[in-house]
């Protein structure tokens, strides 16, 4: 099937829904069900917004994974950022991070207490802040997957070139493929296939998922974020399930390529290196993070400023970890829509617009 233009075209969407229904019936006749995990916060939000789950056969389940970068950030990272702000550093961060709970508080409370916490839409804002006030240390909260790791590396490259000595990064970059392997290594997740992230795939390329598909015999299909994109990706997964295949298929060819973005990958390789990373609610996944290389230690907030990211304390009862592993639905958490709402989040899955709990609260909540 050739990729179709008109990413919200109702006729195309209806055609794909009918195809998925047929595929589901064929799988059902064989006594099979398929449990698909989408590993992207933008997919999670779109699935809820467009009611994708309601369009699927009963034996095709779509679950959300750890695809929201804010959601997988350990509370100890927030504690470290708050410590820096309390010590007089300028904190530059993406907006979602401001309300993510740390062990006892968040950056919003830190700002209310006088901390200089600034929301940005691009890492370039940290450069502007450092240039404007050379007497103050500016710390960029470098959180996210490969999509934001590349701009983070570019931030360091620019700071080196300009000789900016008052800029540093508090890094918590994470990489997707090791997380998929960790999820598949947990038998309780029972994942049949992955709907792979679009933005990340545009950076790392389709080939990056081949070890996961080969090792675990699991279909990996890259799809975009529009309704037709998602339905097209799901139909591709079901086709593989029917044919007994387990391979990587790129159904987002208008952006993602087999080898990814060579320039971005080279920039990351020049400045960053794999490190073990703590995923909130999941634990340490070896070599799933990206930290600054030793030669750029002058731009590493931990090394430069002496702050340490220590294990944080997660609020009792918060089920974000199990939700991000696909073991529980948001409504299965005792706090969901009661003690945890978008106005008063107990965990990061309710903070970010791309969080599984936030999407469920906004688009799927009926009663609790």
């Amino acid at each position: 099937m050739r990729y179709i233009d008109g990413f919200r075209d109702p006729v195309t969407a209806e055609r794909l829904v009918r195809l998925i229904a047929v595929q589901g019936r064929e799988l059902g006749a064989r006594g099979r069900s398929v449990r698909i995990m989408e590993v992207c916060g933008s997919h999670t939000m779109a699935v809820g917004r467009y009611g994708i789950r309601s369009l699927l056969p009963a034996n095709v389940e779509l679950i959300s994974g750890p695809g929201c970068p804010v959601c997988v950030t350990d509370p100890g990272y927030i504690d470290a950022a708050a410590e820096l702000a309390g010590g007089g550093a300028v904190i530059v961060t993406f907006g979602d991070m401001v309300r993510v709970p740390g062990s006892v508080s968040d950056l919003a409370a830190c700002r209310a207490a006088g901390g200089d916490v600034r929301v940005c839409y691009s890492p370039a804002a940290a450069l502007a802040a450092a240039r404007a006030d050379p007497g103050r240390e500016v710390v960029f909260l470098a959180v996210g997957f490969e999509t934001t790791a590349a701009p983070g590396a570019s931030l360091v490259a620019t700071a080196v070139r300009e000789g900016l000595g008052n800029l540093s990064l508090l890094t918590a970059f994470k990489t997707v493929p090791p997380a998929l392997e960790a999820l598949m290594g947990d038998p309780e997740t029972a994942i049949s296939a992955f709907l792979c992230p679009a933005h990340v795939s545009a950076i790392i390329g389709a080939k990056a998922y081949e070890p996961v598909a080969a090792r675990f015999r699991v279909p990996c299909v890259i799809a975009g974020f529009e309704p037709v994109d998602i339905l097209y990706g799901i139909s591709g997964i079901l086709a593989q399930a029917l044919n007994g295949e387990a391979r990587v298929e790129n159904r987002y060819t208008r952006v993602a390529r087999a080898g990814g973005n060579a320039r971005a990958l080279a920039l990351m390789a020049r400045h960053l290196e794999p490190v073990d990373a703590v995923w909130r609610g999941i634990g340490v996944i070896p070599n799933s993070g990206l930290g600054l290389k030793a030669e750029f230690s002058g731009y590493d907030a931990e090394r430069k400023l002496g702050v340490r990211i220590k294990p944080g304390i997660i609020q009792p009862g918060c089920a974000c970890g199990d939700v991000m592993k696909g073991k529980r639905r948001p409504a299965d958490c005792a706090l969901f829509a009661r003690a945890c709402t978008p106005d008063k989040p107990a965990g990061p899955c309710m903070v970010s617009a791309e969080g599984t709990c936030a999407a469920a609260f906004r688009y799927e909540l009926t009663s609790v």
Side-chain angles (χ1 to χ4, degrees):
M1 180 176 179
R2 183 177 61 83
Y3 197 89
I4 304 165
D5 292 330
F7 309 126
R8 299 188 185 186
D9 176 54
V11 175
T12 302
E14 185 178 355
R15 217 168 81 216
L16 285 166
V17 170
R18 289 198 300 268
L19 172 60
I20 289 169
V22 170
Q23 292 170 319
R25 283 196 297 271
E26 291 183 17
L27 286 165
R30 302 178 190 181
R32 295 184 57 193
S33 60
V34 178
R35 201 163 189 254
I36 303 168
M37 175 177 278
E38 96 265 349
V39 198
C40 179
S42 295
H43 276 149
T44 297
M45 185 168 52
V47 164
R49 177 187 295 162
Y50 299 118
I52 300 294
R53 288 190 182 90
S54 67
L55 304 176
L56 303 180
N59 61 331
V60 177
E61 184 181 7
L62 191 58
I63 58 174
S64 300
C68 162
V70 169
C71 301
V72 296
T73 301
D74 188 80
Y77 179 90
I78 304 298
D79 299 340
E83 180 183 339
L84 288 170
V90 177
I91 302 297
V92 179
T93 178
F94 295 121
D96 283 354
M97 290 295 295
V98 174
R99 297 178 63 239
V100 174
S103 296
V104 295
S105 187
D106 57 27
L107 290 172
C110 182
R111 182 168 59 185
D116 194 343
V117 179
R118 306 178 188 180
V119 172
C120 71
Y121 296 97
S122 165
L127 282 171
R131 292 168 182 147
D133 196 349
R136 296 186 68 188
E137 184 69 23
V138 176
V139 180
F140 176 66
L141 301 191
V143 171
F145 300 123
E146 292 93 338
T147 316
T148 50
S154 178
L155 185 66
V156 174
T158 303
V160 170
R161 187 170 60 250
E162 295 185 10
L164 286 173
N166 64 324
L167 177 67
S168 57
L169 277 62
L170 188 65
T171 59
F173 291 131
K174 293 177 174 64
T175 55
V176 170
L180 304 190
E181 294 195 23
L183 289 166
M184 289 304 300
D186 183 344
E188 293 183 23
T189 59
I191 298 166
S192 307
F194 287 111
L195 190 69
C196 296
H199 290 155
V200 167
S201 300
I203 300 296
I204 66 176
K207 289 183 178 180
Y209 306 105
E210 289 179 354
V212 178
R215 177 182 174 188
F216 297 101
R217 293 292 302 162
V218 58
C220 296
V221 175
I222 301 167
F225 303 124
E226 297 291 352
V228 169
D229 282 320
I230 296 170
L231 292 169
Y232 187 42
I234 292 170
S235 70
I237 287 171
L238 299 183
Q240 287 196 45
L242 285 167
N243 294 330
E245 297 176 315
R247 56 185 174 82
V248 179
E249 182 182 4
N250 183 8
R251 293 200 163 195
Y252 191 50
T253 53
R254 68 181 186 272
V255 175
R257 301 289 182 265
N261 185 317
R263 184 175 179 182
L265 291 172
L267 193 62
M268 291 160 61
R270 172 73 183 90
H271 298 87
L272 305 170
E273 61 184 0
V275 295
D276 296 346
V278 178
W279 296 61
R280 181 185 176 116
I282 297 175
V284 177
I285 301 178
N287 292 320
S288 65
L290 291 171
L292 286 169
K293 290 183 175 181
E295 64 185 284
F296 301 107
S297 60
Y299 299 92
D300 185 326
E302 284 193 86
R303 296 169 179 169
K304 179 182 180 182
L305 304 177
V307 69
R308 292 290 178 264
I309 301 175
K310 303 172 184 177
I313 301 171
I314 295 175
Q315 179 169 326
C318 177
C320 271
D322 282 347
V323 168
M324 290 186 291
K325 287 182 281 191
K327 294 181 178 182
R328 298 171 70 179
R329 294 284 191 182
D332 297 331
C333 178
L335 303 182
F336 178 74
R338 296 181 177 90
C340 182
T341 66
D343 291 333
K344 190 178 180 181
C349 293
M350 188 62 88
V351 173
S352 173
E354 296 186 346
T356 305
C357 295
F361 187 94
R362 182 173 183 180
Y363 300 114
E364 299 174 4
L365 182 64
T366 53
S367 62
V368 294

